[in-house]
Amino acid sequence: MVDVGKWPIFALCPQEDLKFIRKACVFGSGNEVLYITKNDEVFVMGTNSSGCLGTGDAQSIIEPRCLNVLSGKEIVSLSCGSGPHVVIVTEDGEVYSWGHNAYSQLGNGSTNQALIPSQVSTNLVNKKVVSVACGSHHSMVSTSDGEVYAWGYNNSGQVGSGSTANQPIPRRVTSCLQNKVVIAIACGQMSSMAIVDNGEVYAWGYNGNGQLGLGSSGNQPTPCRIAALQGIRVEQIVCGYAHTLALTDEGVMYAWGANSYGQLGTGNKSNQSYPVQVCVEKERIVEIAACHSSHTSAAKSQSGQVFMWGQCRGQAVISPHLTHFSCTDDVFACFSTPAIMWRLLSVEPDEHLTVAQSLKKEFDNPETSDLKFLVDEKYIHVHKVILQIRCEHFRSFLHDSNEDVIEMNQFSYPVFRAFLEYLYTDNISISPEDAIGLLELATLYREDRLKQLCQHTIKQGICEDNAVVLLSAAVKYDAQDLEDFCFRFCINHMTVVTQTDAFANMDNDLMKIFINKASKAGAFKN
């Protein structure tokens, strides 16, 4: 659980109130905070620069004050500019903004400062907005159908309209994104980024430090694909003040842009206009973090290690440094200048258990179970009614069964236990190696969502030595997403993969398919 008390602004909050916080965001110069309680009330406190607390005035607040206009609305995304201005997105897909507005960054058609949250609706009617990203003085949102809208300051083309005129209301970003489905967005101070569903990255706006990754330093008024990432599928992207980090589906991290504080993690302070790979002690990365108001970078590895680099408490850390933290959020609380949050932070509740949490707690509980599976001489305790509700296979299998112990020999203990636990939690906890067996089970039992989770887990364990084995399993179990991923990995690591024993012993039919697809992908061109 993240301790929000690590951010100095929370010293103003009564300590007994901290345990009721469910979500929070510290922004501005680190002297403003918005937080949401467990009963969905929204509170703010701090210096209130430009009326960014939304209380109706610009007076400093040293005690938490409730924002009634937002209380009860489930806030799912929040981002802030440098003014500051604040933009939030609710569970219903509505957008609200307030605060600094000298450049129309609130999207309400004016340049008047807004002291209370107001809905941004122009051109967003009948659109469900799912996320927001703010630069210094511009704002950008993405919708459930993969569209992007932007507005505000546009001196460098960061709104993506093709001009440098400020944009007073939300305008759809088209050009190269016209027929693309955007799945993630991010903003630097005056730059904008978007990932589309095939893993391509598009960039536009200010490029004086190479933060667009296009190999130049010229500004870009419309979205442009980062050609240097061709063949690489990016899943997450974040922006610092003038640098960018990207994370691929293989857990590899790339960085580009400004580097005067070592924020690229390349071991030097030279700017990079092309994406360069950042090595983190051979660790597979699962999360990257940066914020447009700082020059700090952070990442979390698959094993749970957290690294930081860049500007850290006035020091220039030029390579990823292993910390004692358990989450990237702590890096920004303790080492970023200012001490802000890089995202809307969710804080785990301590007490009340939801239905889902209660079910999870009862898995493999011998005190309440009415059925045991015996697998590899080990018992797994479950509840018949839950299995029948959650799985079509068990609905018929257990319909007329009065047994209280069932022996299972078809699958290993780790595989079958992971499957049963999935029925209680909707998630899987299993090694990438054992996930292949779980993929077989999911295929046999026709559990499509479980099949997708297995593919995601298997991807995390891919390497040159096992890539062919995983490709073979993907083909065998008709896991198309995993098959495409393994094939791309083999192409990107062709020299090493073709020297493995698994490649030498590849099935003839699979070898023919592999050679044919590799040829079409241009793998054999000189």
Side-chain angles (χ1 to χ4, degrees):
M1 179 177 171
V2 181
D3 177 14
V4 294
K6 291 181 179 179
W7 282 267
I9 182 68
F10 282 102
L12 293 174
C13 189
Q15 293 305 294
E16 63 271 19
D17 288 0
L18 296 183
K19 62 184 179 182
F20 296 110
I21 295 176
R22 189 166 58 87
K23 294 181 180 179
C25 188
V26 177
F27 59 95
S29 57
N31 294 320
E32 283 103 4
V33 64
L34 178 150
Y35 66 85
I36 305 156
T37 64
K38 293 176 184 177
N39 58 358
D40 284 332
E41 289 184 308
V42 178
F43 287 88
V44 292
M45 62 180 175
T47 54
N48 205 11
S49 302
S50 301
C52 66
L53 297 182
T55 55
D57 57 45
Q59 300 298 310
S60 295
I61 305 169
I62 62 171
E63 293 181 348
R65 185 181 300 180
C66 185
L67 280 187
N68 292 319
V69 68
L70 294 180
S71 292
K73 296 184 182 294
E74 180 64 33
I75 298 175
V76 295
S77 184
L78 181 153
S79 191
C80 311
S82 301
H85 75 286
V86 182
V87 185
I88 66 155
V89 177
T90 70
E91 178 70 38
D92 294 331
E94 296 176 337
V95 179
Y96 291 82
S97 67
W98 65 94
H100 191 263
N101 195 33
Y103 304 96
S104 300
Q105 59 264 50
L106 299 185
N108 58 17
S110 78
T111 55
N112 298 325
Q113 179 175 289
L115 298 177
I116 58 172
S118 298
Q119 187 173 352
V120 183
S121 56
T122 305
N123 294 333
L124 296 179
V125 177
N126 299 324
K127 295 291 181 182
K128 183 177 182 180
V129 174
V130 293
S131 68
V132 58
C134 292
S136 178
H137 301 294
H138 75 290
S139 308
M140 186 163 68
V141 297
S142 64
T143 67
S144 58
D145 53 4
E147 295 178 348
V148 175
Y149 292 80
W151 60 92
Y153 197 32
N154 195 33
N155 67 325
S156 302
Q158 57 265 49
V159 169
S161 61
S163 75
T164 54
N166 292 348
Q167 178 63 39
I169 56 174
R171 177 191 180 279
R172 187 180 172 194
V173 182
T174 52
S175 184
C176 292
L177 295 181
Q178 178 68 51
N179 298 311
K180 304 285 186 180
V181 176
V182 172
I183 60 171
I185 55 174
C187 290
Q189 280 278 297
M190 296 187 293
S191 61
S192 303
M193 296 278 171
I195 306 174
V196 298
D197 57 357
N198 66 358
E200 293 177 342
V201 180
Y202 288 80
W204 61 100
Y206 183 70
N207 195 31
N209 303 102
Q211 55 262 61
L212 300 188
L214 303 175
S216 66
S217 59
N219 296 346
Q220 181 66 35
T222 57
C224 183
R225 183 175 64 85
I226 300 180
L229 295 174
Q230 175 72 32
I232 296 171
R233 186 179 289 257
V234 173
E235 291 192 335
Q236 186 190 352
I237 196 156
V238 292
C239 296
Y241 189 95
H243 76 287
T244 308
L245 303 178
L247 180 64
T248 76
D249 60 352
E250 293 182 11
V252 177
M253 180 169 50
Y254 290 85
W256 59 93
N259 199 27
S260 55
Y261 297 94
Q263 59 264 48
L264 300 186
T266 54
N268 58 53
K269 294 184 180 180
S270 301
N271 291 359
Q272 296 287 341
S273 61
Y274 285 110
V276 294
Q277 187 174 332
V278 183
C279 297
V280 185
E281 298 183 5
K282 296 184 179 180
E283 285 275 343
R284 179 182 294 270
I285 301 302
V286 296
E287 180 180 86
I288 52 176
C291 179
H292 76 79
S293 61
S294 80
H295 306 283
T296 305
S297 301
K300 185 175 183 178
S301 72
Q302 189 172 334
S303 64
Q305 293 183 316
V306 173
F307 299 83
M308 69 175 186
W309 61 100
Q311 187 181 39
C312 299
R313 284 290 179 100
Q315 301 294 314
V317 180
I318 62 176
S319 296
H321 173 75
L322 178 62
T323 72
H324 64 277
F325 299 134
S326 59
C327 65
T328 56
D329 304 281
D330 285 347
V331 170
F332 290 83
C334 300
F335 287 95
S336 174
T337 305
I340 39 77
M341 291 179 178
W342 72 275
R343 60 179 169 185
L344 177 62
L345 178 63
S346 293
V347 181
E348 288 186 15
D350 282 328
E351 299 162 2
H352 173 71
L353 294 179
T354 64
V355 173
Q357 290 167 333
S358 297
L359 282 178
K360 180 178 180 180
K361 187 178 179 182
E362 292 306 309
F363 172 67
D364 202 15
N365 184 350
E367 295 182 4
T368 61
S369 70
D370 57 2
L371 176 65
K372 293 187 289 188
F373 281 98
L374 180 60
V375 190
D376 296 341
E377 300 182 352
K378 299 176 184 177
Y379 285 113
I380 307 172
H381 301 83
V382 292
H383 307 76
K384 291 181 182 178
V385 65
I386 293 176
L387 268 55
Q388 289 177 300
I389 290 172
R390 293 280 289 143
C391 177
E392 188 65 38
H393 167 76
F394 285 126
R395 189 170 301 168
S396 56
F397 180 72
L398 298 174
H399 181 65
D400 296 317
S401 174
N402 293 317
E403 297 181 71
D404 55 9
V405 178
I406 298 175
E407 191 169 351
M408 169 58 65
N409 298 314
Q410 190 173 3
F411 299 100
S412 69
Y413 176 81
V415 167
F416 203 68
R417 178 184 170 83
F419 169 55
L420 294 175
E421 188 172 13
Y422 161 77
L423 297 179
Y424 281 73
T425 65
D426 260 343
N427 292 299
I428 60 173
S429 178
I430 194 170
S431 69
E433 294 76 20
D434 287 326
I436 297 176
L438 190 57
L439 177 63
E440 178 186 0
L441 184 153
T443 304
L444 180 66
Y445 289 0
R446 298 180 180 179
E447 292 283 341
D448 291 338
R449 185 176 180 278
L450 176 59
K451 198 170 176 179
Q452 288 297 321
L453 291 174
C454 290
Q455 293 180 72
H456 180 74
T457 299
I458 292 169
K459 287 179 185 180
Q460 295 177 345
I462 196 169
C463 63
E464 289 88 345
D465 289 334
N466 67 13
V468 172
V469 174
L470 299 185
L471 175 62
S472 178
V475 172
K476 180 178 180 180
Y477 301 122
D478 192 28
Q480 190 61 52
D481 182 49
L482 179 61
E483 180 183 341
D484 293 342
F485 173 82
C486 292
F487 175 74
R488 287 196 310 274
F489 184 92
C490 289
I491 294 299
N492 292 336
H493 304 82
M494 179 71 84
T495 302
V496 178
V497 168
T498 53
Q499 294 175 358
T500 62
D501 291 339
F503 186 84
N505 298 320
M506 189 187 294
D507 172 80
N508 285 337
D509 291 337
L510 181 58
M511 179 67 80
K512 291 177 183 177
I513 295 172
F514 181 86
I515 292 175
N516 183 47
K517 292 181 70 174
S519 178
K520 290 180 179 179
F524 304 122
K525 293 180 180 179
N526 291 328

